[in-house]
Amino acid sequence: MTRKRYTQAINEALHEEMGRDPKTILFGEDVALAVFGDTRGLLDRFGPDRVRNTPICEATIAGMAVGAAAAGYRVIIHMLFSNFIYTGFDAIANQMAKLRLMTGGQIDLPITVLAVYGGGASQAAQHSDSNHPVLMNLGGIDVLVPATPGDAKGMLKTAIRNNRPSFFLQASGLGAVGGDVPDGEHLVPLGKASVAREGRDVTLVNVGSMIRATQNAAKKLAEAGIEAEIVDVRSLVPLDETTIVESVQRTGRLVVIDEARDMCSAASQIAAVVADKGFSALRAPIRRVTVNNVSMPYAPNAEAAIFPNADDIVRAATALCQPEVAAA
Amino acid sequence: MASEAVTKGQAGPWADEQIELLERMLLIRHAEARLAQTAKDVGLPGGVHLSIGQEASAVGVCSCLDVDDWMTSTHRGHGHFLAKGGEVDSMFAEIWGKSSGICKGMGGSMHVADFSRGIIGANGIVGGGLAIATGAALAAQLDGKGRAAVCFFGDGAANQGVFMESMNVSSIWKLPTIFVCENNGLSEFTVSSTVTAGKLSDRARAFGMPVEVVDGNDVRAVRSAAKAAVERCRRGEGPSYIETVTYRIHGHLEAEDLILAGGSYRTAAEIDAWRAEDRDPVSRFRALLAEEGICGADRFAELDQRAKEKVDAAVTFAEAGEPADTKLVFELMFVEPKA
């Protein structure tokens, strides 16, 4: 086990997987200089055939990923900010998500799309979306939101290696955050949530970028006598419904924390699953801590007001626990 | 003037090749005429977009390709599929929505694909194949085996931004992409000239690739342009643009009259002009081969009959097929069926 930063863990995964399979190629905007640090050193090591800077043309980057994968390559593309997915969306939603079905399974599409998502750094509305719900709704595409360096490395390696199209979404606020990463070959299965903290009173389901706020909230809640269980969802498609529902069966209460806009967020889906499959265990309504249905503003104070934080989570969880807390 | 056939011979490999071109065009024509008839008589499950009148473009280009060259097609893709060697049986079964279809009934008319023949597939999105073909061309370049990737698209698709993007990438990376713009003058239900600035071929010129604008109803002219483009790909010299000027005789799709409810974007006289024997790609080539002594009336009747029989057999095959397997949808999309 070695302590590494989130970005460094991603960089290692890319180096290892490109080293492992010579048919793995990577292209996208500014991958040579690695503006986020994640693709650093790949061009020098693997050369300009396999690592290419593209023009700024997301529609073609995403479409080429489909064509090159259909023609036998294992493809990694970098979309930079996840907002830029929108300019490449035909190739993602109409081609990448559907080609395997439409061809009756004649091909696999081993494609991994890297993109950095989320706000919190005054990047303003067009560089701050948490747009995983848009991708979750497509069907046929894995949506991964690792929250720790260890999971980032292990899940990225699994995603590159399997034959499914996947979006590996990197939380913009987590890039410099450190964490333990197992040494040697480290693969994390997809579609498995992890219980990051055990607790008896309330389940906090974290979606990707909100992990620190969720952890801080759990600490504050503990100080107030409420023991929160944190389920880090890790992967939204496939979604580990079992781990989430089982946790709620233990605690009877659920708060889902998601940086997406509230409407049709990942939190909405998780709430629906628990309402459907864990209804009898619920002792209180389900709460979602999300972003209002607004775009992220620029000004630091305005963004902070919109951005979900630990206090929002504490408030939501405390309200759910109120009768018992009062009785105790 | 000595006809080409005199120098190339009325028999032998060259003449055989001409017969093959004619046969392929006849198969496409009869297949699509049958689809039109079936759509009218009993209906087909989804939208059917026919390329009747554009056969020379598909056949001329695809006759220059090897089985492992890549090809992306359009929503009007039956001709491309058959021209690249796809089977009419499995294509019909697909359109009929059967398990025996080339895509097991999961794609239908707009998505016929056969990867074993380099057919990446038709595409329901106008311009959807441009970047995919460019990606296949990147794969071909990395493979280093001299493969080409042909992208068929229409003049309607040339107004999509991805057209410029994919030409740019193909050009800067010298990818073996062949952009084949089938210019039929129509963008779905809109006359292209009313929505298009400048000449499409100038757009390709701007990216520094060779440009050929040919009579798209002349299969030899198309073939000769395609041959040069394919050879360029094989030599690793980069992309080419070919514009085949043609016309679609049928509507944007077979239900067009119903959709337009009496409205129209073209005149009957315009359609008739393109349908004329001296303009229609199939009858033109038939007349040329007769004149050159390569294919007389009897031989033609025989070829025509054979194409019709293949189409009849394909209908029988399609009708006999099992319905599509619903379970496959979940399997192919990695999803557990909802309990």
Side-chain angles (χ1 to χ4, degrees):
Chain A
M1 203 74 87
T2 310
R3 194 139 182 98
K4 284 169 187 156
R5 283 179 295 112
Y6 187 84
T7 302
Q8 193 186 351
I10 292 167
N11 184 249
E12 277 187 13
L14 293 171
H15 272 276
E16 288 175 18
E17 291 308 299
M18 291 198 69
R20 180 177 176 270
D21 177 3
K23 291 207 93 171
T24 304
I25 59 175
L26 181 146
F27 54 87
E29 294 157 18
D30 301 319
V31 294
L33 282 175
V35 283
F36 294 122
D38 49 4
T39 56
R40 191 152 296 148
L42 294 170
L43 175 62
D44 285 346
R45 180 165 165 201
F46 299 106
D49 273 353
R50 292 178 60 197
V51 180
R52 297 190 186 205
N53 261 358
T54 61
I56 299 167
C57 56
E58 291 83 9
T60 290
I61 295 168
M64 284 180 71
V66 176
Y73 284 79
R74 195 165 289 283
V75 184
I76 305 165
I77 58 172
H78 206 311
M79 300 297 277
L80 290 183
F81 289 93
S82 72
N83 283 74
F84 304 169
I85 287 169
Y86 302 136
T87 40
F89 211 54
D90 172 62
I92 294 163
N94 276 321
Q95 318 295 342
M96 193 186 294
K98 299 179 171 63
L99 201 60
R100 187 162 192 268
L101 175 79
M102 292 192 303
T103 60
Q106 290 182 49
I107 44 150
D108 284 321
L109 293 172
I111 300 169
T112 306
V113 184
L114 306 175
V116 171
Y117 73 100
S122 276
Q123 296 276 15
Q126 294 175 338
H127 291 70
S128 299
D129 271 1
S130 293
N131 48 11
H132 47 268
V134 173
L135 301 164
M136 288 168 70
N137 188 251
L138 294 175
I141 289 188
D142 287 351
V143 182
L144 313 175
V145 284
T148 68
D151 285 345
K153 182 172 182 186
M155 289 170 70
L156 180 53
K157 283 170 66 78
T158 305
I160 294 170
R161 216 177 275 195
N162 74 22
N163 288 335
R164 303 152 61 125
S166 56
F167 274 71
F168 181 87
L169 299 171
Q170 308 169 222
S172 69
L174 297 180
V177 171
D180 288 335
V181 179
D183 299 317
E185 179 85 328
H186 171 52
L187 294 165
V188 173
L190 308 182
K192 291 274 170 219
S194 75
V195 177
R197 181 189 199 277
E198 290 185 359
R200 61 172 192 271
D201 297 321
V202 59
T203 297
L204 306 178
V205 172
N206 169 68
V207 177
S209 61
M210 298 311 297
I211 189 69
R212 281 183 301 174
T214 304
Q215 281 164 339
N216 289 338
K219 273 184 215 148
K220 289 184 183 185
L221 287 166
E223 285 162 16
I226 298 171
E227 290 302 328
E229 177 147 302
I230 298 178
V231 176
D232 180 11
V233 75
R234 302 205 284 192
S235 144
L236 292 166
V237 179
L239 181 65
D240 181 0
E241 298 182 355
T242 307
T243 298
I244 295 168
V245 171
E246 281 175 1
S247 174
V248 174
Q249 279 163 348
R250 286 191 292 272
T251 64
R253 299 180 189 85
L254 174 64
V255 179
V256 193
I257 304 102
D258 182 5
E259 198 191 322
R261 277 179 281 276
D262 190 63
M263 181 77 75
C264 303
S265 57
S268 306
Q269 175 64 19
I270 291 166
V273 166
V274 172
D276 189 10
K277 299 182 178 169
F279 185 74
S280 58
L282 285 170
R283 295 155 66 184
I286 299 168
R287 294 283 179 239
R288 304 188 301 269
V289 175
T290 51
V291 168
N292 271 283
N293 290 318
V294 297
S295 294
M296 204 54 86
Y298 167 73
N301 67 307
E303 184 175 37
I306 300 297
F307 207 85
N309 60 31
D311 289 341
D312 298 329
I313 303 166
V314 168
R315 252 192 313 279
T318 306
L320 297 187
C321 297
Q322 211 55 55
E324 281 84 353
V325 170
Chain B
M1 188 182 85
S3 79
E4 217 180 345
V6 175
T7 49
K8 311 249 178 166
Q10 292 177 348
W14 188 80
D16 292 346
E17 194 181 273
Q18 304 302 301
I19 294 288
E20 272 175 40
L21 296 173
L22 179 64
E23 272 194 293
R24 197 52 76 171
M25 283 165 68
L26 282 170
L27 179 65
I28 297 171
R29 174 64 58 92
H30 284 303
E32 291 206 308
R34 178 59 81 89
L35 292 175
Q37 197 60 47
T38 308
K40 196 174 159 199
D41 293 346
V42 294
L44 286 166
V48 177
H49 307 75
L50 301 179
S51 67
I52 289 177
Q54 303 186 177
E55 295 88 346
S57 177
V59 170
V61 172
C62 291
S63 66
C64 301
L65 301 177
D66 290 339
V67 69
D68 57 0
D69 287 318
W70 298 110
M71 186 274 285
T72 66
S73 173
T74 71
H75 55 287
R76 206 171 301 292
H78 309 137
H80 305 140
F81 180 91
L82 295 174
K84 183 74 168 65
E87 300 278 350
V88 67
D89 286 14
S90 62
M91 185 181 89
F92 270 28
E94 184 61 29
I95 297 169
W96 263 248
K98 298 300 180 71
S99 204
S100 50
I102 186 67
C103 304
K104 303 189 167 105
M106 297 292 132
S109 163
M110 275 190 281
H111 304 292
V112 286
D114 184 350
F115 278 79
S116 72
R117 293 177 167 90
I119 305 169
I120 294 178
N123 208 304
I125 304 300
V126 172
L130 287 156
I132 296 176
T134 304
L138 170 62
Q141 184 184 64
L142 291 170
D143 286 340
K145 292 175 185 158
R147 276 181 197 168
V150 166
C151 177
F152 284 105
F153 60 101
D155 41 317
N159 283 329
Q160 293 271 24
V162 70
F163 174 45
M164 269 55 80
E165 291 185 13
S166 50
M167 284 197 294
N168 182 50
V169 173
S170 293
S171 202
I172 50 168
W173 289 352
K174 282 195 164 189
L175 298 180
T177 326
I178 302 175
F179 295 92
V180 181
C181 177
E182 299 188 308
N183 186 350
N184 62 18
L186 300 167
S187 301
E188 299 182 359
F189 308 105
T190 296
V191 175
S192 296
S193 60
T194 65
V195 292
T196 306
K199 279 160 63 180
L200 297 181
S201 53
D202 285 346
R203 298 180 187 180
R205 271 189 198 98
F207 292 97
M209 66 181 80
V211 168
E212 282 266 20
V213 181
V214 299
D215 178 347
N217 285 10
D218 176 350
V219 69
R220 284 186 189 160
V222 174
R223 186 172 148 80
S224 142
K227 212 168 173 186
V230 171
E231 279 164 11
R232 219 174 108 77
C233 289
R234 305 262 190 261
R235 293 193 301 263
E237 290 173 7
S240 303
Y241 171 91
I242 299 169
E243 188 172 320
T244 60
V245 180
T246 183
Y247 193 75
R248 71 164 149 78
I249 300 299
H250 279 237
H252 169 58
L253 76 172
E254 285 312 281
E256 178 172 294
D257 289 346
L258 203 67
I259 291 167
L260 296 180
S264 180
Y265 52 87
R266 56 180 178 177
T267 63
E270 180 180 297
I271 301 170
D272 286 344
W274 281 92
R275 208 184 243 152
E277 290 230 333
D278 61 347
R279 223 161 168 193
D280 175 85
V282 181
S283 34
R284 255 175 84 173
F285 195 49
R286 170 195 177 178
L288 182 66
L289 295 189
E291 182 193 313
E292 292 174 344
I294 293 170
C295 180
D298 290 350
R299 184 79 199 277
F300 179 80
E302 189 188 308
L303 297 176
D304 200 48
Q305 186 57 30
R306 200 190 307 165
K308 277 185 193 156
E309 282 165 11
K310 269 193 188 171
V311 170
D312 287 340
V315 173
T316 308
F317 179 80
E319 285 176 349
E322 294 292 324
D325 177 4
T326 309
K327 290 198 297 294
L328 197 60
V329 183
F330 300 100
E331 189 191 315
L332 293 176
M333 299 205 75
F334 315 107
V335 166
E336 291 291 325
K338 243 176 136 176

